[in-house]
Amino acid sequence: MTINTLAKGGWYREQMTCFRKMEKVIVAMQDPDMGMKMRNQRLLITVIPHAMTGRDVIDWLIQKYNICEEEALHVGGMLVRYGYIYPLKEPRSLVLRADETPYRFQTPYFWTSTRWPASELDYAIYLAKKNIRKQGELMEYEKERYSLLHKRINHTWDFVVMQAREQLRASKQRRKADRIVLECQEQAYWLINRPPPGAHNVLDMGLEKPNNFSLRVTLNSDYYKREIESCRRALGRNRVKSSICLEGFVKFSEQYQNHDPIMQGCLPSNPWISDDTAHWTMNSEIVPVPTRLRVERWSFSFMELLNDPIGRREFMTYLEKEFSAENLCFWQACEDIRHGESSKIIQKVEDVYKNFLAPGAARWVNIDSKTMDKTLEGIKHPHRFVMDDAQLHIYFLMKKDSYPRYLKSDLYKNMLAKAIVPQETKKSVFPFMRRQRHSSPSPAQAVTQVTEEDGRAMGAGKAGTNSAAGSHV
Amino acid sequence: MPLVNNKVGDDCTVGTDKALADGKALVDSLIKVVACYRHLASCVGSCTDSLQLRDELRQTREKAQNLAVSICQHLTSHLRDKSLPEEQRKEMELLWVAFSSGLELLHVDMCKVFSMGDIFSLANSASLVQTGLQGGGSEVAARALSLPDLNQARAPEAGLESQERSTMEQEISQIDHMIDDMEMKVNVLRWMVEPHGPQYADPLSSTDSASLALLSVDEEQPGHQPQSQHSHMVVFVVLFAVVLVATTLSVCVVFFS
């Protein structure tokens, strides 16, 4: 249905700024004293007033706006291209010629407008009118569009035809000269709004289409304040030099090179190739004896140690010996709050407070006073991240203090010594042997198998036909 | 008893047939009025714009509005009637679709006239665009209002422009509401509606059709031309007959002189 352009709550379409400016130029041209000089157009017997030559237009533009001829030609050309002035001799050629070619002003009803774009119903009525007026007057592309519209708005086609007839009957009430002018106006309007194929469509803004015509930014103090604020925030963002980034990346790669299964290969064998799942079983979450590479990784960073279940267990054992196990327990409890169920958060926060933070608690953790106050404030309105500051504090405490001592401790060194290094499975001497120790061959080998079998079968077939052919001959 | 039943059945269909005919007549006149309104609206802002034109626009608009309101009531009441037989319902839906399209066109035209009234106020007649039109639209308005001649007894009063504008604003919003209400109350599936008429309509029964032919337009090939071939043949036949008559006469003259 229609878009209610005057509805208060609706979307109010604005006229594009360039159109508004062109309208002002056209209105300025109408001035009886300073405006355009009008001539009469002679057509056999009828005389139609208000015609002007291209030369007149350019001269007027030069004189009014004090510009050079080239610019006047450009501006005048825009007026013609956007349909405010239409040519009388060659209607399809929308250019401004600086000579005696006649032009005329377009009526304001048919001015190009983004507020009321030409609708399909209107176009259908126009084409129907053109067809009724003179059979066979429609061009090829107009006939195509007519059939397309007939399909698209089929339900209202009776209305289209009737309205076309009525509009023709209404225009018959006017005198001949006016009828010619009205037809020219309408033709010019539709040449702009539904251009023939191949002609440039001025209403198509292309990829840089402005998405909000009515966005007019007023350059006042508020606007500049907002700009300053956003620039300040942008300056305050954390930035790292790219050289430092790259150094960190190189260090990480060097450290993890030996641990990467793709770069170094994995022991005992790559399960994807050999179908032997020993690698996965040996590196699963809880094993009696971890692999050596795994234990080495614990020394890379504290997070590696904590993320590994066996590592965490070992670290806990160590802390218990040092009588500072409550730190790790507190940290684990905070992780549970952060990643756990929403419904249990309040209960968990209560428990944590009772066990770790309350004065005289069983496993009291040592947090500095500022963080303690902030956390206690937050506990009154518990949410998922209320323990974050305290957890971070304890984390850094462990990292700076307990973790280096653990790495130097006997517990860790024994772990390292006990860790197994799996043996690489012996590769068979004949690499292309199809018999594997375990069941299904790998897909790559399956393909070669099939082609080999096919080859043999085809060879046998060919031999068969050859012999058959030979026998027939 | 069967006779009585038939009689009752006939009355029912006669009733809705009459309603259908009424609706059709109303929609036809609305289409006519909308076409005339559009014709008059295309003159707003041009050199033929005057108080008279604005007055004619107002009268045409009022007529269109009255027609719209009565059609709306008529069609809504009939389409909400569940006992309507199937073909009648189809016809009503056709009328409904035509009515809503006409209302769309009227709405756009009213909005355009309203905003152009903003830009081109009649007080400053120097800024009206010189479009080449010379005559007024009185005959068109007369056609719209179905009057043989627009009686000029009611002279248009100046100075009522502001009042006119506020009335117009109200009426545009009234049409808005009507359109919304229509969609809410009656559910017409537009893709199910099938029109009666053909794709290409027959030309009007007037000989004076090709006005654009006067201009020296160099257009491309406009498709096949069966009509012109037909007229060419007629001309040839007539010429041939004339030549034949002339030769017979001259032979007679020679023979008898």
Side-chain angles (χ1 to χ4, degrees), chain A residues 120-160:
Chain A
E120 299 208 322
L121 193 62
D122 287 332
Y123 193 45
I125 294 173
Y126 166 67
L127 290 177
K129 266 207 291 199
K130 211 170 165 192
N131 189 54
I132 293 175
R133 203 185 290 136
K134 184 173 167 199
Q135 290 278 352
E137 200 183 337
L138 288 178
M139 310 246 114
E140 273 312 311
Y141 73 91
E142 282 174 340
K143 281 199 194 123
E144 277 172 32
R145 288 183 189 168
Y146 192 64
S147 330
L148 204 66
L149 282 168
H150 177 71
K151 255 187 256 156
R152 251 191 243 155
I153 48 172
N154 194 314
H155 56 272
T156 187
W157 204 252
D158 286 343
F159 172 78
V160 165

Side-chain angles (χ1 to χ4, degrees), chain A residues 266-322:
Chain A
C266 52
L267 308 171
S269 61
N270 191 331
W272 298 109
I273 297 178
S274 64
D275 284 335
D276 180 21
T277 52
H279 175 79
W280 289 332
T281 26
M282 273 198 261
N283 282 300
S284 64
E285 297 243 317
I286 306 287
V287 276
V289 187
T291 55
R292 189 193 186 92
L293 281 177
R294 187 172 170 178
V295 179
E296 274 177 19
R297 273 204 293 272
W298 297 348
S299 66
F300 288 172
S301 79
F302 189 39
M303 220 47 221
E304 280 275 2
L305 176 67
L306 286 181
N307 282 339
D308 191 341
I310 299 185
R312 205 188 279 194
R313 201 185 54 193
E314 289 296 308
F315 191 57
M316 180 70 94
T317 328
Y318 175 73
L319 286 180
E320 273 162 12
K321 283 218 176 103
E322 303 257 308

Side-chain angles (χ1 to χ4, degrees), chain A residues 300-465:
Chain A
F300 288 172
S301 79
F302 189 39
M303 220 47 221
E304 280 275 2
L305 176 67
L306 286 181
N307 282 339
D308 191 341
I310 299 185
R312 205 188 279 194
R313 201 185 54 193
E314 289 296 308
F315 191 57
M316 180 70 94
T317 328
Y318 175 73
L319 286 180
E320 273 162 12
K321 283 218 176 103
E322 303 257 308
F323 303 109
S324 48
E326 67 270 7
N327 290 337
L328 190 57
C329 293
F330 176 69
W331 184 88
Q332 274 182 262
C334 291
E335 280 289 288
D336 195 27
I337 294 178
R338 272 183 74 168
H339 300 293
E341 275 184 42
S342 292
S343 50
K344 302 208 174 101
I345 286 180
I346 300 180
Q347 178 59 41
K348 286 181 187 169
V349 169
E350 281 287 327
D351 289 339
V352 163
Y353 173 73
K354 228 178 17 178
N355 289 330
F356 298 100
L357 295 175
R363 310 204 274 173
W364 191 82
V365 286
N366 193 4
I367 308 178
D368 66 295
S369 56
K370 201 166 79 151
T371 321
M372 180 66 95
D373 290 337
K374 198 164 161 210
T375 312
L376 290 177
E377 264 306 308
I379 286 178
K380 293 188 186 141
H381 307 283
H383 58 91
R384 196 176 282 274
F385 306 106
V386 70
M387 293 288 175
D388 270 5
D389 290 327
Q391 186 187 11
L392 210 61
H393 180 89
I394 294 293
Y395 175 82
F396 279 120
L397 194 70
M398 290 195 286
K399 182 174 170 182
K400 293 220 170 73
D401 190 26
S402 318
Y403 176 62
R405 281 189 279 122
Y406 170 70
L407 289 181
K408 295 192 196 103
S409 68
D410 290 333
L411 210 61
Y412 179 66
K413 291 198 176 108
N414 288 342
M415 205 72 216
L416 210 53
K418 258 194 325 178
I420 49 174
V421 179
Q423 286 287 323
E424 198 180 335
T425 46
K426 270 213 174 74
K427 289 204 185 89
S428 61
V429 181
F430 307 103
F432 300 113
M433 256 179 69
R434 268 182 274 138
R435 294 273 173 267
Q436 295 278 350
R437 268 198 305 136
H438 295 280
S439 50
S440 56
S442 72
Q445 304 230 343
V447 168
T448 49
Q449 220 178 25
V450 165
T451 48
E452 275 184 42
E453 279 176 6
D454 274 350
R456 273 194 285 119
M458 270 173 59
K462 268 206 198 109
T465 49

